[in-house]
Amino acid sequence: MRQTILILMMMLIGLSACSKEDWIEKLSTPEERALSLRSLKALQSGNFGAVDAMSRSELREEVTPEIYDQVRGMIPPGEPRLQTVAANSHTADGVTTTLKSFNYEMGSGDRWAIVQITLQTSPGRTTVAGFRAYPMEQSPIAAQSFSFEGKGALHYFWLLTMVAAVVTTIAGIVMVIRTPDVRRKWLWVIGCLFSFVTFSLNWNTGEMGVAPFYFLIFGAGGGQAGPLSPWIFQFAIPVVAITFLIRKAMGVYRIDLEKVVEPF
């Protein structure tokens, strides 16, 4: 049962066109990655003078020795593993400034942390603009992994509902195409693609949400925004597909059964 549901979910989620490493390389340069790693290792080893030398002047004025010690105490031993990069840019008075946050996983056993190094790039110079550490009791990647362990009836119900939404959507499209005498058939097909009122489930925490004004194509979807983000699964109500299937069942449209069955 679990294997069947998992296969169906993988079909719903699809495969990302780019791997984590591909996105990291697209969003950052080798020089930026090297600078962020050097600053992190300097923090880890207590070489705060080296961090100052790589930092923008505003950060040097804000960070005290006590803050350095506090952050260092949150960083566990071990080799940093770069997991995600986030970037944004803004332009003021014709000058473009870019901020990039490099998120590292570090630790082992029951001592872990996500360490974030933020770089600021202005014309001609890249400096450290900030750093943060988020202590954790387990691997951040493991905490956000997809697993059936510890999951209950709600999680299985959610997956089955997602599958039902997709099956209903496909059934509606197929029957619209194969049913004769349907006026504006192409509008019915397009309508069946969309499902409305989106329900979401955080797979890791069990937190649910609803977005009344959002829609999904093919009725369901899911995935992670990144390796440090939770798995989110969504489904919506295929209103148009359900409407068509009900009208067909009520005999609103004439159906030539031989034509419907013949392709099989």
Side-chain angles (χ1 to χ4, degrees):
M1 179 64 176
R2 290 185 177 182
Q3 289 82 355
T4 301
I5 293 177
L6 184 58
I7 291 172
L8 290 171
M9 290 311 305
M10 290 302 102
M11 293 174 62
L12 293 176
I13 297 169
L15 296 176
S16 172
C18 293
S19 67
K20 177 187 71 176
E21 290 75 17
D22 291 333
W23 280 114
I24 289 175
E25 291 182 2
K26 287 177 182 294
L27 292 174
S28 62
T29 66
E31 292 77 16
E32 290 170 336
R33 295 193 292 273
L35 176 60
S36 70
L37 184 58
R38 284 200 308 273
S39 62
L40 172 52
K41 289 190 172 183
L43 277 172
Q44 186 182 28
S45 65
N47 188 356
F48 304 140
V51 179
D52 278 343
M54 292 181 271
S55 300
R56 64 189 180 97
S57 57
E58 293 85 351
L59 182 63
R60 291 197 298 269
E61 295 172 359
E62 294 171 0
V63 179
T64 64
E66 291 76 18
I67 293 177
Y68 272 130
D69 288 334
Q70 183 180 15
V71 173
R72 184 192 181 193
M74 297 179 184
I75 301 176
E79 191 67 22
R81 296 173 291 278
L82 181 59
Q83 299 295 339
T84 62
V85 176
N88 67 80
S89 299
H90 67 274
T91 301
D93 299 326
V95 178
T96 299
T97 300
T98 301
L99 291 175
K100 295 185 181 181
S101 295
F102 296 77
N103 298 299
Y104 293 86
E105 180 190 53
M106 300 183 65
S108 62
D110 60 356
R111 190 184 177 199
W112 295 83
I114 297 173
V115 183
Q116 183 182 83
I117 304 295
T118 300
L119 303 184
Q120 176 178 301
T121 300
S122 298
R125 192 181 184 201
T126 299
T127 55
V128 176
F131 46 81
R132 294 181 176 87
Y134 305 91
M136 303 183 70
E137 295 181 353
Q138 61 175 320
S139 164
I141 300 298
Q144 304 298 349
S145 63
F146 179 82
S147 171
F148 284 102
E149 183 179 355
K151 302 304 183 287
L154 172 63
H155 294 81
Y156 289 99
F157 167 79
W158 207 273
L159 298 184
L160 291 173
T161 304
M162 292 176 66
V163 173
V166 174
V167 170
T168 301
T169 298
I170 295 174
I173 293 172
V174 170
M175 293 314 301
V176 167
I177 294 173
R178 294 184 177 178
T179 301
D181 303 331
V182 178
R183 297 182 60 188
R184 300 182 179 88
K185 180 175 289 192
W186 64 276
L187 284 176
W188 276 105
V189 171
I190 294 175
C192 287
L193 284 171
F194 293 89
S195 297
F196 303 92
V197 186
T198 300
F199 300 87
S200 60
L201 173 72
N202 184 318
W203 185 261
N204 303 90
T205 66
E207 181 181 359
M208 295 180 290
V210 58
F213 303 107
Y214 280 71
F215 64 87
L216 294 176
I217 296 178
F218 278 107
Q224 284 180 294
L228 300 177
S229 300
W231 283 84
I232 302 295
F233 290 117
Q234 299 175 312
F235 71 85
I237 303 172
V239 178
V240 177
I242 292 173
T243 300
F244 183 87
L245 292 173
I246 291 175
R247 294 183 60 156
K248 179 182 71 66
M250 295 174 61
V252 175
Y253 303 114
R254 178 177 63 83
I255 302 176
D256 187 335
L257 293 179
E258 292 183 357
K259 290 184 179 180
V260 173
V261 176
E262 184 178 7
F264 294 96

